[in-house]
Amino acid sequence: MTKDVTRIGIIGSAGRMGNALQAAIVAAGHDFAGGIDKGGDPLALAKASDVLVDFSAPGALEFNLDAAIHAGIPIVIGTTGLEERHHWLVDAAAVSIPVLQTGNTSLGVTLLSHLVKEAAQRLGEDWDIEIVETHHRMKVDAPSGTALLLGEAAAKGRGVHLADEAVRGRDGITGARKAGTIGFAALRGGSVAGDHSVHFLADNERLTFSHLAENRGIFAKGAVRAAEWLLDRDAGRYTMPDVLGL
């Protein structure tokens, strides 16, 4: 982790997450290089920064990656709701610059995903996996990026592709649960910053891993930690487990 003062720019600086990021940058002893939102100039911000942190929207990702590439600086992407084509863009950018993309920047969630992968690998298919997440009423995507991250961890532990095994919501006469599937349930309401539980259920016993986010400060702190770590890396695609050495 670098000890030097770093200029960190925020894409998606308005609102509660943007404010939390600014506070975390200052608390870590770095310089807030500025922030932009919809209609802002990502290239100008990139040129004024040592590293970018992007918590904006999927539709802006291509422009933000291009700005980081042209300025030759790393970028941390915490934007959720990404589709397959967005991941192609991240892969392409990672040829030129360091890119860290994650569905959750919390250090606790990062460790949780590691534990979920280990459990899925060791327990076997006779343990059903169900992921339940709760977020505030204003969240626009479901399942959450964190829930999908945890689902990916479980799928990797089992050596399968999440897209082949995911069940996103159930309604009506669905029939018996298919062995090996990974279920998702999303709850929305209130001002919940983010609660996630991964349930492993077998005959006569259950194991649950949970993470409860009390405020957005944990995501901001983790994003700054990721930005610090990313500065010294070669071009490539990285994840939060890399930051913790997992």
Side-chain angles (χ1 to χ4, degrees):
M1 184 185 303
T2 182
K3 298 294 184 180
D4 299 327
V5 174
T6 302
R7 299 173 302 166
I8 302 177
I10 302 173
I11 302 174
S13 59
R16 292 173 292 183
M17 189 61 203
N19 289 332
L21 277 167
Q22 293 180 45
I25 289 169
V26 174
H30 299 303
D31 287 339
F32 172 49
I36 61 168
D37 293 284
K38 187 176 181 179
D41 184 352
L43 181 56
L45 178 62
K47 289 180 177 179
S49 307
D50 298 314
V51 58
L52 293 175
V53 176
D54 181 7
F55 276 86
S56 57
L61 181 62
E62 183 171 5
F63 300 103
N64 300 337
L65 288 170
D66 285 345
I69 291 170
H70 280 94
I73 64 170
I75 182 170
V76 175
I77 301 167
T79 302
T80 59
L82 301 185
E83 300 175 354
E84 187 175 5
R85 66 184 184 87
H86 296 120
H87 289 286
W88 293 341
L89 293 171
V90 173
D91 287 338
V95 174
S96 303
I97 58 172
V99 182
L100 189 152
Q101 183 274 320
T102 181
N104 191 302
T105 53
S106 159
L107 301 181
V109 166
T110 300
L111 182 57
L112 172 62
S113 68
H114 177 73
L115 297 174
V116 167
K117 179 182 177 182
E118 287 288 311
Q121 180 179 356
R122 298 176 188 279
L123 292 177
E125 274 197 13
D126 54 336
W127 289 71
D128 300 322
I129 301 176
E130 294 286 322
I131 300 170
V132 181
E133 54 101 341
T134 305
H135 280 85
H136 54 89
R137 64 172 66 93
M138 301 303 293
K139 187 168 180 61
V140 298
D141 58 308
S144 68
T146 302
L148 293 173
L149 181 153
L150 295 170
E152 290 286 0
K156 287 179 182 177
R158 285 186 167 174
V160 299
H161 295 292
L162 181 61
D164 297 332
E165 304 297 341
V167 176
R168 299 191 181 188
R170 300 179 178 93
D171 184 50
I173 306 301
T174 61
R177 190 185 197 282
K178 181 181 176 182
T181 55
I182 299 172
F184 291 86
L187 285 69
R188 295 290 178 267
S191 58
V192 181
D195 293 351
H196 295 84
S197 293
V198 182
H199 302 276
F200 289 82
L201 307 101
D203 293 341
N204 304 313
E205 59 180 326
R206 291 173 287 173
L207 177 65
T208 299
F209 296 94
S210 294
H211 179 273
L212 309 180
E214 296 182 359
N215 64 65
R216 289 166 182 78
I218 64 169
F219 309 124
K221 184 176 180 180
V224 172
R225 173 84 171 266
E228 293 172 334
W229 182 89
L230 200 59
L231 275 174
D232 300 324
R233 306 300 136 184
D234 294 328
R237 182 167 182 167
Y238 300 95
T239 62
M240 287 301 294
D242 295 321
V243 178
L244 293 185
L246 298 174

